[in-house]
C-alpha cells in the first residue's frame, strides 16, 4: 500500500471543534512553526539542498494578489521538498527600491515644508533609514499571514552591509574588465523624479496628442516632416530620408533652413527611415530621441540639448523658460504664423511612456551616465539556456528570452538619486578617475569627490541569488545553496530581473548559472480576465479575502488557477468555494475520527480488505504518483484540481459514504476500514499541506499525534494497484448515480424512502447491498411490493415501487407539458435551420446557437419520454 503507515505515533484522537475557524488557528500555528525553526536551513547539513530566493518585494510595498500568488507557488514547492528530506532554503529579503522609497520620504518631508536639499544628502539618507526602521517592511508581517515558510534568520536587505559589499565588489570587477564605462547617451528621464529610469520603470499608455506636419526649407528645397513633439524641433540637426527614395535624392547632402531658428541643417540618407511611412522624411533630434541619437552617431551630427532636467526649454529665443508642453503649443502657433503647418491632427492617439512611480511623461534625454557593456554578459546568459544548463518552463517562453538577451542594448545603471548604492568612483582635481573596491581606501585630499549618482535598483537585485549567501566571501551557505534549484517569477520580469541575474551570476560565479530552472507564471487578473487596477475598480486587497475566508482558501484558489506561463483569473466566489473545501476537509476528518479512523499500526493484509478499501488505497497511490509528476512539471493548477477531486469526490463523497454501514455494523471490518480511512486521510492531508498548510496541520496532528506535518515524510507511491477493485467500485458508482438521477427526475425528495428490489446476484455488487440501500434511501421490498419502474444498470437491476410515493396522474400531466414544450422548441429550431434564406443571412454564431437549441431539445425529448415510460400506469 503506502510506506508511511508504520512511521506514525499513536494518535490521541483529540476532539476537533465542530467548525473550522481560520482566524483562531493560523496566527498561533505560524508562530509555532517559526519558533521551532522548521523553515531554517543548515549549511552544514548532509541533506541535498533545495534553494529558492524570494523575488525581493519593495521595502515600500504591501502584499498584493501578485505577491500572494507567487508566494503560494514558492511555498508549495519548498514545503514539499522539505517533507521529501531536502535541506530547504527559501531566502527572504527586501529591495531598497531607490526611486519609490526616496519619493515616499520626500513626500513626508513635503508635509513638513521641507525638501531633501534642506537636509542635505547625509541627513536625508539617515532619514530614509529611520523611515525604513519605523514604517518599511510591513509586507513581512503580511507574508506571515499567508504562511510563507521562509528562513527569517537569513532575511536580507539590498542596502545592508553584506550586500553593499557585494555590489561594490562586482562594480569594481566589471569596471576593471572594461565592462562598465561612462558615456553620454539617450536615457529615459523623469522630470518629476529628476533621474534616469530603467525601461521596466516606464509604463506605456495611449494618450491623446497631436500630429503636426510642417515644412522645413524653402522653394525647391522644401521638405515636410511630421512629429508629435513639435517642441523638439528646436534641437533638430538634420532631416533624414531613405537612400533609395527617388523623391528626395536631389536634396541629400544639401542644407535646408530650420524654421524659427537661425540655423541650417543637412538632409542625410539613412536606411532607418521607412519611405512608406508618412512623407518618408523624418526630423532628427539626436539629444532627445533614441533612434535619432543612433542616426546622429552614424552621420556625425551634433546633439543639441534644448531642455533642462525639469523639461523646461533652455534653447535661446522666445521659447526659453517655457515648460515643454507650453512650448509645444507656442511653437506650433509660431510655425502656423509663418505658413509652415501643412496638417494638424487632433486628437492623435499614440503610445506615450510614463514614469511608473509618479506617472509623469518621460523625456528621452541625452545625459552622461554609467553603463554596463552587456554584449559578452548577454551572450553567456543566452548560451546557458541554449546548452541546457538552465531550463525555462514553460519551454515556449525560451523564444521570448532569446529575443531579449540576443538584442540587449547596453544598460544604463546610474540614477540621479540619494537613496541607493552610491557609485564607487572618485574624480580627482586633475581629471583622475578612480574606481574603489570594498577593501580599498578611497582617495582623499583637496579636489577629490565621489560620483553623486547611485546604482539602478536592478543592479543590486541582480546579485540576489549569491549576494544573499555571503558572496564575495566563500561561505558555507554559498557552497551549499548556490546555484538555486529553481527561480519562480512572473513572465513580465523575464527580461529585466531574470536576465540581469543570469548575466551577473554567470560572471561572478565562474560560469555557474544562478539557477537550474526558471519557472515562469502569469499575472493575476479579475474573474473576467481583466487586468486588476485601482482605476478599473477591480483591485483586491488579498488581506480582505484572508480575513473573510482564511489564508488557505486564498492560497488554494490561486494555486488552482496556476497554469505555467498563463494569466490567472480570480474572483471572490472562487475563494468562497475554496473555503468550502477547507470546511469539507475539516468535517470529513472530524467524522472519521468519531468513527474510528486511526494510523495505529501497519495496514491490514490485503486479504482482510474489502473491495471498497482496496479501491481507495489503489486510487490513493495513483494520486500520489500523479501529484508528484505534476509538481515536477510546475503544473499547480492540475495537481490542485487532482487533489480537490480525489479528496472531495472519492474520499469524502464515496469512500466515507460507502463505509458508513461498515462503521455502523462495528466489529473487525469496521476496524479494518478505520485503519484504511486513517491511512487515506494521513496521506491526503500531507499531499494537500504545501498548498493549504494551516487546516492540514491542525487535522494531521490531531489524526496522527505527530509533531507537525511541516516536517512529516512526504508520501511515496508504494506501487499498490487493484484494477479489479477500481472497476468494481466504478460500476457501483454508476448504479448509485443512475438511480439518484432517476429519483431526481421523478421529483422524489433526497431523503424520501422507496421500496426496492435489488438484483445483485452474479454481479460484483452483492457485498454492497447495505451501502446501496443506505445511499439511495431504498427500503426492503414488502409483501405488497409492486415493481413500477425497473432500472438495469451496469449488470445489476434495481426495481422500484413508486406507487405510494408520487401522484402518477399529476406527474404524467407535468411531463406531458414539458414534452410539448420541448417538441415545440425542436420544431422552431428545425424550421429556421431548414430556411435557406435565413441561413444565407444569419451570422455563424446565431446559426450555431440554434443548432445548440435543437440538440438540447432532442436531449430533453428523449429524457422526458424515458421518464414517462418508467412511470407506473395510472
Amino acid at each position: 500500500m503506502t510506506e508511511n503507515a508504520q512511521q506514525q505515533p499513536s494518535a490521541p484522537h483529540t476532539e476537533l471543534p465542530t467548525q473550522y475557524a481560520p482566524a483562531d488557528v493560523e496566527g498561533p500555528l505560524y508562530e509555532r512553526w517559526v519558533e521551532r525553526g522548521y523553515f531554517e536551513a543548515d549549511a552544514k547539513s548532509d541533506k541535498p539542498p533545495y534553494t529558492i530566493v524570494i523575488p525581493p518585494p519593495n521595502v515600500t510595498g504591501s502584499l498584493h494578489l501578485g505577491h500572494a500568488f507567487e508566494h503560494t507557488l514558492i511555498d508549495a514547492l519548498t514545503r514539499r521538498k522539505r517533507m521529501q528530506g531536502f535541506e530547504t532554503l527559501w531566502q527572504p529579503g527586501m529591495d531598497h527600491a531607490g526611486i519609490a522609497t526616496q519619493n515616499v520620504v520626500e513626500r513626508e518631508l513635503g508635509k513638513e515644508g521641507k525638501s531633501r536639499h534642506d537636509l542635505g544628502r547625509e541627513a536625508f539618507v539617515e532619514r530614509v533609514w529611520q523611515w525604513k526602521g519605523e514604517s518599511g517592511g510591513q509586507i513581512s508581517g503580511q507574508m506571515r499571514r499567508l504562511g510563507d515558510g521562509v528562513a527569517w534568520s537569513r532575511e536580507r536587505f539590498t542596502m545592508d552591509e553584506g550586500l553593499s559589499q557585494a555590489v561594490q565588489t562586482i562594480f569594481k570587477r566589471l569596471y576593471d574588465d572594461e565592462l562598465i564605462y561612462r558615456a553620454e547617451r539617450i536615457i529615459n528621464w523623469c522630470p518629476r523624479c529628476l533621474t534616469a529610469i530603467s525601461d521596466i520603470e516606464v509604463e506605456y499608455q495611449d494618450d491623446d496628442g497631436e500630429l503636426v506636419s510642417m515644412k522645413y526649407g524653402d522653394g525647391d528645397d522644401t521638405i515636410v516632416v511630421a512629429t508629435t513633439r513639435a517642441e523638439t524641433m528646436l534641437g533638430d540637426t538634420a532631416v533624414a530620408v531613405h537612400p533609395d527614395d527617388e523623391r528626395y535624392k536631389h536634396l541629400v547632402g544639401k542644407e535646408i533652413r530650420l524654421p524659427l531658428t537661425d540655423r541650417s541643417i543637412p538632409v542625410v540618407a539613412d536606411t532607418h527611415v521607412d519611405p512608406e511611412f508618412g512623407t518618408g522624411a523624418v526630423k532628427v533630434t539626436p539629444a532627445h530621441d533614441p533612434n535619432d541619437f543612433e542616426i546622429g552617431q552614424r552621420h556625425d551630427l551634433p546633439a543639441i540639448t534644448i531642455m533642462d532636467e525639469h523639461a523646461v526649454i533652455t534653447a535661446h529665443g522666445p521659447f526659453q523658460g517655457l515648460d515643454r508642453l507650453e512650448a509645444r503649443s507656442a511653437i506650433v502657433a509660431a510655425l502656423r504664423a509663418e505658413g509652415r503647418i501643412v496638417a494638424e491632427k487632433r486628437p492623435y492617439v499614440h503610445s506615450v511612456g510614463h514614469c511608473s512611480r509618479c506617472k509623469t511623461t518621460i523625456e528621452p534625454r541625452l545625459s552622461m551616465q554609467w553603463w554596463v557593456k552587456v554584449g559578452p554578459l548577454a551572450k553567456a546568459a543566452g548560451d546557458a539556456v541554449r546548452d541546457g544548463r538552465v531550463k525555462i518552463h514553460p519551454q515556449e517562453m525560451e523564444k521570448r528570452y532569446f529575443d531579449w538577451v540576443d538584442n540587449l542594448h547596453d544598460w544604463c545603471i546610474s540614477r540621479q538619486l540619494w537613496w541607493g548604492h552610491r557609485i564607487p568612483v572618485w574624480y580627482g582635481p586633475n581629471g583622475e578617475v578612480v574606481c574603489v573596491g570594498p577593501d580599498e581606501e578611497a582617495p582623499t585630499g583637496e579636489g577629490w569627490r565621489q560620483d553623486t549618482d547611485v546604482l539602478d535598483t536592478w543592479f543590486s537585485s541582480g546579485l540576489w541569488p549569491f549576494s544573499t549567501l555571503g558572496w564575495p566571501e566563500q561561505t558555507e551557505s554559498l557552497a551549499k545553496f548556490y546555484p538555486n534549484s529553481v527561480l519562480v517569477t512572473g513572465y513580465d520580469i523575464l527580461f529585466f530581473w531574470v536576465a540581469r541575474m543570469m548575466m551577473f551570476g554567470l560572471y561572478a560565479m565562474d560560469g555557474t548559472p544562478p539557477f537550474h530552472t526558471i519557472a515562469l507564471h502569469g499575472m493575476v487578473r479579475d474573474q473576467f480576465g481583466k487586468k486588476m487596477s485601482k482605476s478599473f475598480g477591480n483591485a483586491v486587497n488579498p488581506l480582505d479575502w484572508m480575513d473573510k475566508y482564511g489564508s488557505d482558501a486564498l492560497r488554494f484558489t490561486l494555486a488552482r488557477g496556476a497554469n505555467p506561463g498563463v494569466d490567472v483569473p480570480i474572483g471572490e466566489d472562487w475563494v468562497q468555494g475554496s473555503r468550502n473545501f477547507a470546511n469539507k476537509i475539516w468535517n470529513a476528518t472530524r467524522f472519521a475520527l468519531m468513527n474510528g479512523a486511526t494510523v495505529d499500526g501497519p495496514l491490514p493484509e490485503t486479504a482482510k480488505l474489502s473491495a471498497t478499501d482496496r479501491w481507495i488505497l489503489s486510487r490513493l497511490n495513483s494520486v500520489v504518483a500523479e501529484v508528484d509528476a505534476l509538481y515536477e512539471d510546475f503544473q499547480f493548477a492540475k495537481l490542485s484540481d487532482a487533489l480537490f477531486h480525489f479528496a472531495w469526490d472519492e474520499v469524502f463523497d464515496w469512500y466515507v459514504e460507502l463505509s458508513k454501514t461498515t462503521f455502523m455494523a462495528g466489529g473487525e471490518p469496521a476496524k479494518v476500514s478505520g485503519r484504511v480511512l486513517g491511512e487515506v486521510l494521513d496521506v491526503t492531508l500531507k499531499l494537500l499541506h504545501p498548498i493549504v498548510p494551516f487546516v492540514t496541520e491542525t487535522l494531521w496532528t490531531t489524526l496522527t499525534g505527530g509533531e507537525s506535518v511541516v516536517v512529516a515524510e512526504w508520501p511515496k507511491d508504494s506501487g499498490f494497484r487493484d484494477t479489479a477493485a477500481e472497476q468494481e467500485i466504478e460500476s457501483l458508482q454508476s448504479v448509485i448515480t443512475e438511480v439518484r438521477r432517476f429519483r431526481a427526475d421523478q421529483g422524489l425528495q433526497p431523503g424520501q424512502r422507496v421500496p426496492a428490489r435489488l438484483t445483485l446476484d452474479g454481479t460484483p455488487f452483492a457485498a454492497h447491498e447495505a451501502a446501496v440501500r443506505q445511499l439511495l434511501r431504498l427500503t426492503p421490498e414488502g409483501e405488497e411490493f409492486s415493481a413500477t419502474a425497473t432500472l438495469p444498470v451496469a449488470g445489476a437491476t434495481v426495481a422500484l415501487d413508486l406507487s405510494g410515493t408520487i401522484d402518477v396522474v399529476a406527474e404524467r400531466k407535468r411531463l406531458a407539458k414539458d414534452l410539448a414544450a420541448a417538441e415545440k422548441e425542436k420544431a422552431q429550431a428545425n424550421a429556421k435551420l431548414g430556411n435557406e434564406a435565413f441561413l444565407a443571412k444569419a451570422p455563424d454564431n446565431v446559426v450555431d446557437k440554434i443548432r445548440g437549441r435543437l440538440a438540447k431539445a432532442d436531449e430533453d425529448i428523449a429524457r422526458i419520454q424515458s421518464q414517462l415510460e418508467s412511470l407506473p400506469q395510472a
Side-chain angles (χ1 to χ4, degrees):
M1 322 304 168
T2 62
E3 297 182 4
N4 310 342
Q6 299 183 43
Q7 301 175 9
Q8 306 297 349
S10 178
H13 289 184
T14 305
E15 185 176 341
L16 288 168
T18 55
Q19 290 185 322
Y20 176 51
D24 297 339
V25 169
E26 293 174 352
L29 265 188
Y30 188 84
E31 292 309 313
R32 191 182 313 152
W33 292 333
V34 172
E35 288 167 7
R36 293 179 177 178
Y38 292 153
F39 305 139
E40 297 303 324
D42 182 4
K44 294 182 170 63
S45 167
D46 59 2
K47 296 178 181 179
Y50 187 81
T51 317
I52 295 182
V53 294
I54 192 172
N58 288 352
V59 67
T60 58
S62 59
L63 190 75
H64 56 63
L65 270 177
H67 289 130
F69 172 56
E70 186 168 81
H71 290 200
T72 294
L73 305 187
I74 299 175
D75 198 36
L77 290 174
T78 53
R79 284 178 182 270
R80 172 175 173 261
K81 286 296 182 180
R82 189 177 294 112
M83 295 171 73
Q84 286 183 315
F86 286 77
E87 193 61 36
T88 303
L89 169 61
W90 182 9
Q91 173 67 53
M94 283 184 293
D95 193 285
H96 65 278
I99 295 176
T101 307
Q102 181 156 318
N103 281 348
V104 167
V105 178
E106 285 197 86
R107 282 196 295 270
E108 284 194 353
L109 286 174
K111 296 174 185 176
E112 302 170 14
K114 298 178 183 177
S115 74
R116 61 183 164 116
H117 300 285
D118 294 324
L119 272 66
R121 183 169 193 143
E122 187 175 336
F124 176 77
V125 171
E126 287 181 5
R127 179 69 178 260
V128 179
W129 277 109
Q130 178 186 342
W131 174 87
K132 191 257 180 188
E134 295 173 355
S135 306
Q138 65 171 312
I139 195 171
S140 295
Q142 296 165 346
M143 287 164 58
R144 293 170 181 262
R145 283 284 314 277
L146 189 65
D148 286 4
V150 299
W152 287 113
S153 70
R154 292 173 172 266
E155 187 174 12
R156 303 305 296 269
F157 180 53
T158 50
M159 285 284 286
D160 68 26
E161 184 177 352
L163 270 67
S164 294
Q165 183 185 26
V167 167
Q168 195 172 353
T169 299
I170 202 163
F171 187 99
K172 171 69 172 173
R173 292 187 186 180
L174 289 163
Y175 182 86
D176 290 346
D177 287 344
E178 298 183 349
L179 293 172
I180 282 184
Y181 63 93
R182 193 168 183 246
E184 197 173 39
R185 298 277 184 86
I186 291 284
I187 45 86
N188 302 308
W189 182 264
C190 176
R192 159 62 183 77
C193 297
L194 298 180
T195 182
I197 60 176
S198 66
D199 292 337
I200 197 172
E201 291 164 325
V202 179
E203 292 179 348
Y204 288 90
Q205 65 184 49
D206 288 341
D207 286 358
D208 286 344
E210 60 181 358
L211 181 66
V212 179
S213 299
M214 48 199 180
K215 290 189 294 183
Y216 285 10
D218 300 294
D220 291 339
D221 294 344
T222 297
I223 195 165
V224 176
V225 297
T227 182
T228 58
R229 301 162 66 217
E231 69 280 6
T232 62
M233 61 87 59
L234 299 175
D236 286 357
T237 56
V239 171
V241 297
H242 194 276
D244 300 331
D245 196 330
E246 295 293 336
R247 294 171 294 176
Y248 301 117
K249 282 205 170 180
H250 69 289
L251 289 176
V252 174
K254 284 190 175 183
E255 298 266 335
I256 60 173
R257 180 181 165 227
L258 179 66
L260 307 182
T261 71
D262 57 1
R263 293 190 290 119
S264 292
I265 58 175
V267 177
V268 299
D270 196 281
T271 54
H272 170 75
V273 180
D274 180 1
E276 303 298 323
F277 182 77
T279 63
V282 297
K283 58 191 287 300
V284 182
T285 321
H288 292 280
D289 183 274
N291 293 321
D292 293 2
F293 178 80
E294 298 295 334
I295 294 175
Q297 293 288 100
R298 288 193 288 273
H299 297 276
D300 199 23
L301 300 173
I304 303 173
T305 299
I306 63 162
M307 296 181 209
D308 65 13
E309 64 269 25
H310 297 281
V312 171
I313 301 297
T314 57
H316 294 297
F319 311 108
Q320 186 175 4
L322 293 179
D323 172 81
R324 57 183 167 168
L325 299 181
E326 296 172 334
R328 183 176 299 172
S329 299
I331 286 170
V332 171
L335 290 168
R336 192 183 298 112
E338 287 192 4
R340 289 187 173 274
I341 298 297
V342 175
E344 297 177 72
K345 185 175 182 180
R346 295 188 187 88
Y348 179 73
V349 178
H350 62 127
S351 181
V352 178
H354 296 260
C355 173
S356 63
R357 304 299 177 190
C358 67
K359 310 309 177 187
T360 302
T361 300
I362 63 109
E363 189 65 41
R365 184 170 186 259
L366 188 63
S367 179
M368 182 66 75
Q369 301 285 345
W370 285 94
W371 303 81
V372 171
K373 184 186 295 183
V374 300
L377 302 175
K379 181 181 184 304
D383 290 346
V385 175
R386 286 188 170 95
D387 64 26
R389 281 175 290 157
V390 178
K391 298 193 180 301
I392 293 178
H393 192 280
Q395 191 174 2
E396 54 264 28
M397 287 285 183
E398 280 187 4
K399 182 180 183 301
R400 297 178 65 178
Y401 176 79
F402 292 136
D403 287 346
W404 180 256
V405 297
D406 292 347
N407 297 285
L408 267 180
H409 298 293
D410 284 0
W411 170 21
C412 176
I413 56 172
S414 46
R415 299 291 179 265
Q416 290 64 56
L417 303 171
W418 286 357
W419 173 244
H421 296 102
R422 195 164 174 180
I423 289 176
V425 172
W426 273 254
Y427 306 104
N430 299 311
E432 302 96 332
V433 179
V434 176
C435 180
V436 178
D439 300 322
E440 300 172 349
E441 291 291 330
T444 58
E446 187 176 349
W448 283 92
R449 60 184 177 82
Q450 186 178 357
D451 195 299
T452 57
D453 287 353
V454 301
L455 288 163
D456 177 14
T457 297
W458 295 102
F459 192 94
S460 51
S461 60
L463 313 180
W464 193 246
F466 52 93
S467 64
T468 52
L469 298 173
W471 187 90
E473 301 298 325
Q474 297 304 306
T475 64
E476 287 183 321
S477 290
L478 188 65
K480 178 74 174 179
F481 296 113
Y482 186 91
N484 286 194
S485 306
V486 61
L487 174 75
V488 178
T489 192
Y491 63 69
D492 57 319
I493 56 174
L494 171 65
F495 319 124
F496 304 102
W497 187 46
V498 178
R500 281 148 174 72
M501 285 190 291
M502 286 285 283
M503 291 191 296
F504 281 167
L506 289 159
Y507 173 79
M509 299 300 292
D510 300 321
T512 301
F515 18 74
H516 297 301
T517 302
I518 302 168
L520 298 170
H521 58 72
M523 314 303 293
V524 179
R525 297 182 177 272
D526 72 11
Q527 64 196 74
F528 305 109
K530 190 174 182 180
K531 179 180 177 181
M532 285 192 172
S533 166
K534 290 181 180 177
S535 59
F536 295 156
N538 63 350
V540 173
N541 182 347
L543 296 172
D544 292 341
W545 282 352
M546 290 158 71
D547 288 341
K548 195 170 182 180
Y549 303 110
S551 299
D552 284 334
L554 176 64
R555 289 171 60 116
F556 193 74
T557 304
L558 291 166
R560 206 173 176 193
N563 290 296
V566 178
D567 288 344
V568 182
I570 184 172
E572 185 169 2
D573 289 351
W574 305 343
V575 184
Q576 186 175 353
S578 295
R579 189 270 314 272
N580 295 344
F581 179 51
N583 288 342
K584 183 78 170 180
I585 301 170
W586 183 273
N587 293 332
T589 306
R590 189 168 174 271
F591 166 85
L593 288 171
M594 293 169 61
N595 285 275
T598 179
V599 296
D600 293 343
L603 281 169
E605 296 175 2
T606 305
K608 294 183 178 180
L609 301 176
S610 69
T612 309
D613 295 333
R614 287 183 280 112
W615 160 71
I616 199 62
L617 290 173
S618 180
R619 287 293 304 127
L620 178 68
N621 278 283
S622 294
V623 169
V624 170
E626 180 182 6
V627 167
D628 274 335
L630 292 171
Y631 260 117
E632 295 304 316
D633 199 35
F634 305 101
Q635 297 282 357
F636 295 98
K638 290 182 179 178
L639 72 89
S640 299
D641 213 46
L643 286 171
F644 174 88
H645 287 295
F646 176 70
W648 191 307
D649 299 344
E650 297 187 78
V651 179
F652 306 147
D653 279 359
W654 282 110
Y655 181 74
V656 168
E657 292 299 321
L658 287 171
S659 301
K660 279 184 177 178
T661 53
T662 302
F663 289 132
M664 291 168 61
E668 186 61 23
K671 290 182 180 179
V672 170
S673 291
R675 180 64 190 89
V676 170
L677 180 53
E679 177 74 6
V680 171
L681 287 175
D682 172 25
V683 174
T684 302
L685 292 171
K686 286 176 180 175
L687 293 174
L688 284 166
H689 172 73
I691 299 173
V692 284
F694 294 107
V695 67
T696 51
E697 170 79 339
T698 306
L699 295 175
W700 186 85
T701 52
T702 302
L703 171 71
T704 69
E707 178 188 345
S708 171
V709 71
V710 177
V711 291
E713 184 180 349
W714 182 255
K716 296 182 177 68
D717 173 16
S718 70
F720 175 77
R721 301 291 190 277
D722 192 323
T723 305
E726 289 193 35
Q727 291 175 346
E728 179 176 333
I729 300 304
E730 286 171 9
S731 297
L732 181 63
Q733 289 170 338
S734 66
V735 171
I736 294 169
T737 300
E738 186 61 33
V739 176
R740 280 176 171 167
R741 184 182 296 117
F742 177 80
R743 286 177 57 107
D745 288 344
Q746 301 305 318
L748 295 176
Q749 295 300 314
Q752 191 172 354
R753 296 195 171 273
V754 177
R757 177 189 299 137
L758 305 183
T759 306
L760 303 174
D761 295 336
T763 72
F765 311 133
H768 302 288
E769 179 167 352
V772 171
R773 288 192 179 276
Q774 172 67 22
L775 290 172
L776 293 174
R777 301 296 188 270
L778 303 179
T779 60
E781 54 184 300
E783 292 183 3
E784 299 180 2
F785 178 84
S786 173
T788 58
T790 302
L791 303 174
V793 187
T797 303
V798 180
L800 303 173
D801 183 353
L802 303 178
S803 57
T805 57
I806 59 173
D807 184 334
V808 176
V809 174
E811 186 64 14
R812 281 189 175 279
K813 186 176 181 181
R814 181 185 71 80
L815 289 173
K817 183 178 179 182
D818 291 346
L819 181 61
E823 289 172 337
K824 181 179 179 181
E825 175 74 3
K826 178 179 180 178
Q828 290 175 341
N830 274 326
K832 286 189 176 181
L833 293 174
N835 186 332
E836 294 295 335
F838 170 78
L839 292 176
K841 296 179 181 178
D844 289 345
N845 64 317
V846 173
V847 175
D848 288 343
K849 189 174 180 180
I850 293 171
R851 288 186 177 130
R853 284 168 48 193
L854 176 60
K856 176 68 166 55
D858 281 333
E859 289 176 8
D860 288 344
I861 290 169
R863 175 179 55 81
I864 296 167
Q865 287 175 337
S866 175
Q867 290 176 241
L868 283 167
E869 290 171 4
S870 62
L871 282 175
Q873 296 300 314

